[in-house]
Amino acid sequence: MSTRKRKKGAILDKSRFLEAKQISFPIRDIDQLHVASETVRCALHQQCVPCAYKICCFDVALDSGFSVPNQRPETCPRLSNKSHIPNSTLGYCDEMNVLTVGDGDFSFSLGLARLLRNGKQGKKGRLIVTSYETEQTLRRVYPEFDNTLMELQSLGGIVCFEVDATRLSQTLPASVLKDNGKAIEFHRIIWNFPCTAIDRGQDGQNQAMEDNKNLVRNFVCNARKMLHSRGEVHMCHKTKPPYNQWNLQELVEKACEDKGPAAIFQGRLVLDRALLPPYTPRKALNRKSFPCHDACFYIFSFDRKNTDGECEESGQFPRTIHSKSVEFTEEEEDQIVPVTEKLVERIRSTHLSISTVKPFRKKAKKKR
């Protein structure tokens, strides 16, 4: 797996791309960017505008040739269809030990529990769900908290409160960290939109950027000690300014240069919450959601083998992003594929063609 540095910024210079790649429009940074094939199908075959924006991160202010505005995520046909069952596993397996950190209203963990369990029988891994807040605080802030908690526990989720992401081994109950007397090693540790403890409803990203960067450093240095040798840390993060100024890949790699396994950047995976219903990103201690069509999971491993060949029989699982991942095809139902210039062009031209054939509607004349 390549560990080359990610280019800075979400949008590349248009004139440079015209000269180097013969592309006539600005394009987001697609270096080591991947997406679930189900998201691609929704953007292409369902003509879903939110999914097109998740993948391509269009900017109509910079791209004068693209006149299709983004829409609210709820207009995605998969989100509006309550009976829709996602096809993608996102690289998860029900035998994995998974730890979620700082999950605001537990809706992400519930979506993950549904994906992991999915009516399957047999040996199950351990899903541990944590919050920095108390149970009483979450119940007061989020109206659906009790229903979410009940279903999460019915699916085998182990819920822990007042867990500090920077002191996981000290603040997690000792009972959940052992299985038959043996310490548990996690195959995935996930933290979405890491942020320092702040006042209700504020995001604190600009004002407390250095505090947030220190938070991430302390988290990854702590989390890597609890990982399986083939485990991964996933952090979901926005990629547009000012959030790209965190330089998350470089931040994590430098934080792990000391003793212990070095961080190996595996790539980024586009966030598609339609794959994890009922997940809705929430502001800190606030029931309001926030726009995140530009968000991706930054994925890091911490081993030295860095191979994809080992299998589940040996107690190990494939990487979320394979080093030899292939381009999007119509045949495979469950793929994680690279976002390429060809794919971006295809999605862009598909939505442009749709926008040009919409029927013209005369404006109603105002009555005098």
Side-chain angles (χ1 to χ4, degrees):
M1 178 68 66
S2 171
T3 58
R4 62 188 182 279
K5 299 293 183 185
R6 182 173 61 87
K7 303 177 185 72
K8 302 293 190 298
I11 297 294
L12 299 184
D13 180 70
K14 181 177 178 179
S15 61
R16 187 173 65 185
F17 250 74
L18 273 167
E19 181 180 344
K21 300 289 185 179
Q22 300 301 311
I23 289 195
S24 59
F25 55 90
I27 187 172
R28 76 178 299 179
D29 172 17
I30 59 174
D31 184 39
Q32 291 180 273
L33 180 65
H34 295 72
V35 63
S37 55
E38 181 177 319
T39 313
V40 179
R41 287 190 179 87
C42 195
L44 289 173
H45 305 324
Q46 301 289 332
Q47 292 89 45
C48 175
V49 173
C51 284
Y53 268 80
K54 290 172 199 170
I55 300 168
C56 305
C57 212
F58 296 121
D59 191 331
V60 294
L62 296 176
D63 185 356
S64 59
F66 190 75
S67 56
V68 183
N70 199 0
Q71 299 175 3
R72 288 195 60 81
E74 293 79 11
T75 62
C76 171
R78 292 171 298 142
L79 281 178
S80 58
N81 180 7
K82 301 301 181 183
S83 62
H84 172 74
I85 300 176
N87 291 323
S88 179
T89 63
L90 294 173
Y92 288 97
C93 169
D94 58 346
E95 293 184 17
M96 287 179 171
N97 293 323
V98 179
L99 171 65
T100 63
V101 176
D103 188 5
D105 63 350
F106 290 166
S107 62
F108 173 81
S109 297
L110 177 55
L112 189 56
R114 290 177 179 177
L115 184 151
L116 288 168
R117 301 304 179 242
N118 198 22
K120 297 176 183 177
Q121 302 297 321
K123 183 181 178 182
K124 308 292 185 185
R126 188 167 290 194
L127 173 61
I128 300 177
V129 178
T130 72
S131 172
Y132 183 74
E133 307 299 335
T134 65
E135 182 174 354
Q136 292 75 17
T137 298
L138 297 181
R139 183 170 285 111
R140 185 179 68 251
V141 174
Y142 303 112
E144 293 297 316
F145 175 74
D146 282 321
N147 292 333
T148 301
L149 183 62
M150 186 180 302
E151 183 180 352
L152 188 54
Q153 291 174 329
S154 73
L155 291 170
I158 301 171
V159 181
C160 305
F161 302 93
E162 299 181 80
V163 175
D164 186 340
T166 65
R167 300 172 59 246
L168 290 171
S169 58
Q170 295 97 320
T171 55
L172 274 166
S175 59
V176 306
L177 294 176
K178 289 189 177 181
D179 186 10
N180 295 324
K182 184 179 179 181
I184 288 179
E185 294 179 324
F186 291 99
H187 301 96
R188 302 287 185 267
I189 298 179
I190 310 152
W191 193 1
N192 294 343
F193 307 104
C195 183
T196 54
I198 52 174
D199 292 335
R200 184 173 62 182
Q202 300 173 353
D203 62 22
Q205 303 295 340
N206 278 321
Q207 298 84 348
M209 184 179 295
E210 287 306 314
D211 289 341
N212 283 314
K213 290 166 76 171
N214 283 330
L215 182 73
V216 169
R217 291 185 188 100
N218 293 331
F219 163 65
V220 294
C221 288
N222 188 271
R224 64 178 173 170
K225 301 172 185 176
M226 305 178 69
L227 282 175
H228 185 277
S229 62
R230 295 274 299 170
E232 296 175 349
V233 166
H234 295 195
M235 276 186 288
C236 195
H237 192 57
K238 292 163 70 72
T239 58
K240 283 192 170 184
Y243 305 95
N244 63 333
Q245 295 172 21
W246 289 31
N247 297 325
L248 198 60
Q249 176 189 342
E250 181 180 353
L251 177 67
V252 172
E253 289 173 339
K254 286 188 175 180
C256 298
E257 287 178 344
D258 61 350
K259 296 178 181 178
I264 302 170
F265 181 58
Q266 300 289 330
R268 295 173 293 148
L269 177 63
V270 169
L271 169 64
D272 179 6
R273 64 186 184 90
L275 299 175
L276 291 161
Y279 178 44
T280 301
R282 305 283 184 191
K283 292 186 176 182
L285 292 180
N286 192 300
R287 69 187 67 175
K288 293 182 180 179
S289 61
F290 56 87
C292 56
H293 74 270
D294 59 314
C296 300
F297 290 99
Y298 286 72
I299 300 176
F300 300 89
S301 67
F302 296 84
D303 66 10
R304 296 182 177 85
K305 296 177 183 177
N306 199 27
T307 59
D308 288 317
E310 300 178 68
C311 63
E312 297 164 15
E313 284 73 19
S314 62
Q316 297 173 328
F317 302 97
R319 292 281 176 226
T320 300
I321 297 173
H322 294 279
S323 59
K324 298 180 181 179
S325 56
V326 297
E327 291 190 15
F328 171 75
T329 63
E330 301 290 350
E331 291 76 22
E332 293 291 336
E333 287 293 325
D334 183 12
Q335 281 184 315
I336 290 178
V337 300
V339 177
T340 62
E341 294 165 5
K342 178 181 176 182
L343 180 60
V344 173
E345 286 186 287
R346 181 179 174 187
I347 293 172
R348 184 178 183 273
S349 61
T350 296
H351 284 264
L352 275 176
S353 65
I354 295 168
S355 68
T356 57
V357 298
K358 286 183 177 179
F360 173 76
R361 295 180 181 178
K362 291 183 179 179
K363 293 183 179 179
K365 292 182 178 180
K366 293 182 179 179
K367 294 182 179 180
R368 293 183 178 178

